[in-house]
Structures are given as structure tokens and as C-alpha cells.
Amino acid sequence: MTTAFSRIAGDYDDLWLLTNGYRNWMLTKTLGHLSMRRNSKFADLGGGTGIFAHLLKLGVPLESDAICVDPSDAMLLNAERYRGLQTYCESAETFAHRQVPLDRILIKESIHHVRNRQSFWGKISSSLRPDGRVLVVTRPSLPELPLFKRAVNAFSESQPELETILDEITSSSGLRAVTNTEQYHVQIPKERWYAMLRARFMSSLAGFTPDEIEDGILEVDSQIDGDQVRFTDRLFFVVIGHEPK
């Protein structure tokens, strides 16, 4: 998977921009659910190019460096342009074993990359300070995006059900979780959406050949009237913390 992300690292932020307001919407929702303070020690696990860690740090603003963790060195090369970011080129699981004391942790659209989540949540619980908070941003296992059928299946196979994630959190770590559902209505030119598919902007698209992607685009195009793609991006913002004593 790190190879797949290496191919798109330079364009990744633009690929996920969707609309001019999408990034600001995501930033506002993330800041609200994380509820960070200026003195919070913060880490973004699976932080990719570091852009969200950077924007969140500025949005508070944080007094100390933010931590950006990602297994792709190509992604983290982009993160190096931001001041105030401390980077770790490793998986979220490897970083969790470091037991770095943290106040706030973001896991944005990457929890499906964590293989042994029960062990992972136990390590996170140990490193999370008493009033700490983790925010997991994830999608339904059945995506509500305009994807071709095989892409929908590939996404669903890799994406854990929300109920599974919640069970893993509470059963293995002693943490508690509260789920918030947020929606953003997207309208973009269909050619831009097709360019995103061709660039394999989602990790679940990495295994498709160029010909399979083109066949998939034809399938999607047959279901769209006009030159605009319209859909609702529905995400779960899961706020996690220690059980009150």
C-alpha cells in the first residue's frame, strides 16, 4: 500500500480537495470534535502529507510540534515543508508501541489500515493521558460515493463496519466511544471525479489496472446525467476517551 501512495504523493492533497469548501468543512468538523487546547500534545496517525496535522496545529494554535505518522516516506517528504511537524515514517501500530504520552490523536480515514486493532487500542489507551481524546474519522462499509461495482466491493472488503470498530475499542481498551455522523453535499465536474478515479485516490482502488479503471468509469458515466457528479459524503466522527472514574 505504501507503493500505491508513493505514486500519488505529490498530488494527493489536490486529489482529495473535492470542492473549494470541502477541506475547510473537514477541518472545522475535525477541530470541533477533537476539542484541542493550545497545550495539547497531538498526533495524526496515518497523516499522509501532513497537511491536516499542519492546518490543525495552526487552527488551535498548538504550542508544541504536532506529530505526523505515516508509513509512506514519499508522503512524509511533503510533510517536511511544514514547520512545527515532527514526522515518524512507520505504521500507526508501530508508533502506538512507542507509548508516547498524548492528549489528542487523529486517525482520519485510515483505521482500516490497522491490522491488529484490538492490540492497537490497548496501546492507545495506555498512551492517552487521563483527559485525552482520540478522533477516528471513517466511512460506512458500503460507500455512498459514485464508484463502479467492483470498486464498491473492494472498498467494502477493506473497510470495517462501524459496529466492529466500536466493539474493538470498548472490549480491548477500556475506552468509550461516541459516534457523530456528519454529511457534506458534493457537486463537482464529472471529468474531475474521473481523474480522481484514474489517480486511484482511494487505497481500495490501488489493485485495479488502467483498463479496469476505464471500464469502471464507463460504468459510472452510464449512471450520470449531465456533466456534474452529485453525491453526499457521509462520515462517522468517533470521539474516544477514557471511561470516567
Side-chain angles (χ1 to χ4, degrees), residues 220-240:
V220 173
D221 194 65
S222 69
Q223 302 168 11
I224 294 175
D225 294 324
D227 61 357
Q228 298 289 308
V229 172
R230 298 174 178 86
F231 62 94
T232 298
D233 193 14
R234 185 164 66 98
L235 299 109
F236 301 126
F237 287 71
V238 184
V239 180
I240 304 156

Side-chain angles (χ1 to χ4, degrees), residues 2-243:
T2 56
T3 302
F5 280 123
S6 295
R7 291 196 297 264
I8 63 171
D11 300 318
Y12 185 76
D13 294 338
D14 289 335
L15 286 173
W16 259 118
L17 187 58
L18 286 182
T19 70
N20 289 334
Y22 185 83
R23 183 176 292 165
N24 286 337
W25 174 83
M26 180 65 76
L27 180 64
T28 299
K29 293 297 182 182
T30 302
L31 280 169
H33 290 301
L34 269 176
S35 191
M36 280 198 292
R37 307 181 184 95
R38 290 174 63 91
N39 63 349
S40 293
K41 188 65 175 177
F42 164 67
D44 185 355
L45 307 188
T49 64
I51 188 169
F52 259 85
H54 167 69
L55 292 175
L56 290 166
K57 174 180 168 59
L58 295 181
V60 177
L62 293 177
E63 296 170 350
S64 62
D65 287 355
I67 295 172
C68 180
V69 179
D70 199 273
S72 169
D73 54 359
M75 285 286 198
L76 290 181
L77 280 176
N78 290 276
E80 290 179 0
R81 61 186 161 177
Y82 301 122
R83 291 186 177 180
L85 279 191
Q86 184 180 357
T87 60
Y88 290 83
C89 188
E90 58 194 32
S91 69
E93 290 170 280
T94 298
F95 179 80
H97 278 82
R98 291 179 178 270
Q99 298 287 273
V100 177
L102 294 166
D103 300 294
R104 296 292 186 270
I105 300 171
L106 175 63
I107 307 172
K108 178 180 172 293
E109 299 171 78
S110 62
I111 191 62
H112 55 286
H113 291 305
V114 178
R115 295 182 179 179
N116 188 345
R117 288 190 298 272
Q118 291 190 330
S119 172
F120 172 76
W121 286 118
K123 296 296 183 183
I124 289 294
S125 178
S126 298
S127 62
L128 191 65
R129 287 172 173 160
D131 61 346
R133 177 177 292 197
V134 183
L135 176 63
V136 172
V137 183
T138 190
R139 285 185 169 81
S141 59
L142 187 62
E144 300 171 39
L145 307 175
L147 301 170
F148 51 97
K149 186 175 180 179
R150 288 186 62 194
V152 170
N153 292 338
F155 182 94
S156 297
E157 288 170 3
S158 65
Q159 185 78 2
E161 296 277 359
L162 175 64
E163 291 75 13
T164 299
I165 296 172
L166 297 177
D167 286 345
E168 292 165 347
I169 292 168
T170 56
S171 65
S172 60
S173 65
L175 298 170
R176 63 188 180 104
V178 176
T179 302
N180 308 271
T181 303
E182 305 284 3
Q183 297 185 141
Y184 187 88
H185 301 291
V186 178
Q187 177 177 326
I188 59 174
K190 67 180 183 181
E191 290 306 323
R192 173 167 173 75
W193 181 252
Y194 298 162
M196 293 169 66
L197 293 177
R198 290 186 178 105
R200 297 167 181 79
F201 74 106
M202 303 178 75
S203 60
S204 57
L205 296 171
F208 291 99
T209 67
D211 287 344
E212 289 171 331
I213 292 290
E214 293 305 320
D215 288 343
I217 288 173
L218 289 176
E219 179 186 321
V220 173
D221 194 65
S222 69
Q223 302 168 11
I224 294 175
D225 294 324
D227 61 357
Q228 298 289 308
V229 172
R230 298 174 178 86
F231 62 94
T232 298
D233 193 14
R234 185 164 66 98
L235 299 109
F236 301 126
F237 287 71
V238 184
V239 180
I240 304 156
H242 291 289
E243 287 281 3

